[in-house]
Amino acid sequence: HVKLVGEKGKVVLKYDAKNVNIVASSTIGSGIKVLVDGKKVWDLGVKAEDLYTVVAGDDYGQHTLTMDVSGAGFKLYTFTFG
């Protein structure tokens, strides 16, 4: 897994799918600003270890996901795609 040890971090991922999910957790609660192809989609809050929907797209295609994470203690375990 990947753990955010500072206050801010960024994950960038190129993907070919319609939907993107993550399994993640945070010891104190973390926020994620989600961008797809450079456009803000929404803000996501992460606390308990769980499966979170990051992108619920309209169509399958190639995209770039950027997650601007704030809150030390964020842990990212895996991505799933649909």
Side-chain angles (χ1 to χ4, degrees):
H1 72 272
V2 177
K3 181 179 179 181
L4 181 62
V5 294
E7 231 359 85
K8 295 187 183 239
K10 183 179 286 198
V11 177
V12 179
L13 176 74
K14 292 186 183 236
Y15 68 95
D16 191 352
K18 179 179 174 183
N19 303 313
V20 180
N21 304 294
I22 59 171
V23 176
S25 68
S26 178
T27 53
I28 60 169
S30 296
I32 303 173
K33 182 169 76 171
V34 178
L35 298 99
V36 175
D37 299 328
K39 296 177 185 167
K40 184 177 176 184
V41 176
W42 68 315
D43 292 313
L44 174 66
V46 172
K47 179 111 177 133
E49 186 173 308
D50 207 346
L51 176 70
Y52 295 90
T53 299
V54 178
V55 177
D58 295 325
D59 262 330
Y60 288 90
Q62 294 181 349
H63 302 281
T64 300
L65 168 66
T66 303
M67 298 190 314
D68 288 325
V69 183
S70 60
F74 173 77
K75 293 180 184 175
L76 173 61
Y77 298 100
T78 192
F79 286 93
T80 64
F81 305 93

